[in-house]
């Protein structure tokens, strides 16, 4: 599963607030909500965030194994 934990760290380091994302950079509140809840967003959104924060995608998103997916994989092997 993709998580946006790195985004919040990067925003803190760059001193960019959620308010600035919404008001100054035009990121919708719906998109911010998706990011907060690790929901799917488009690559266009990731690109926009990279441009705003002057960073790479890895500074915004990380992949972590989903425990439920791991359990399903183990069951299918048995």
């Amino acid at each position: 599963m993709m998580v946006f934990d790195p985004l919040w760290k990067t925003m803190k380091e760059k001193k960019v607030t959620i308010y600035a994302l919404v008001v100054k950079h035009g990121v919708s509140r719906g998109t911010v909500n998706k990011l907060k809840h690790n929901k799917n967003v488009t690559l266009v959104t990731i690109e926009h965030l990279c441009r705003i924060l002057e960073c790479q995608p890895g500074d915004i998103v990380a992949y972590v194994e989903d425990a439920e997916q791991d359990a399903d994989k183990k069951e299918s092997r048995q």
Side-chain angles (χ1 to χ4, degrees):
M1 114 185 253
M2 303 304 277
V3 296
F4 295 99
D5 298 342
L7 170 64
W8 313 117
K9 180 181 175 193
T10 300
M11 285 176 58
K12 186 175 182 177
E13 289 171 359
K14 304 258 182 178
K15 297 184 171 121
V16 175
T17 64
I18 292 173
Y19 180 83
L21 285 182
V22 173
V23 174
K24 184 178 178 184
H25 299 288
V27 176
S28 76
R29 292 182 188 274
T31 297
V32 171
N33 190 50
K34 286 180 181 182
L35 294 165
K36 283 182 177 181
H37 293 94
N38 296 318
K39 301 291 182 188
N40 293 334
V41 295
T42 67
L43 285 174
V44 171
T45 298
I46 301 296
E47 181 180 357
H48 189 134
L49 292 168
C50 285
R51 209 173 307 119
I52 293 166
L53 297 169
E54 298 177 346
C55 66
Q56 295 296 311
D59 299 321
I60 293 173
V61 63
Y63 174 77
V64 295
E65 281 288 331
D66 187 15
E68 190 174 306
Q69 287 176 346
D70 287 344
D72 290 344
K73 286 179 188 177
K74 288 178 183 176
E75 284 180 21
S76 67
R77 285 186 232 153
Q78 294 176 356

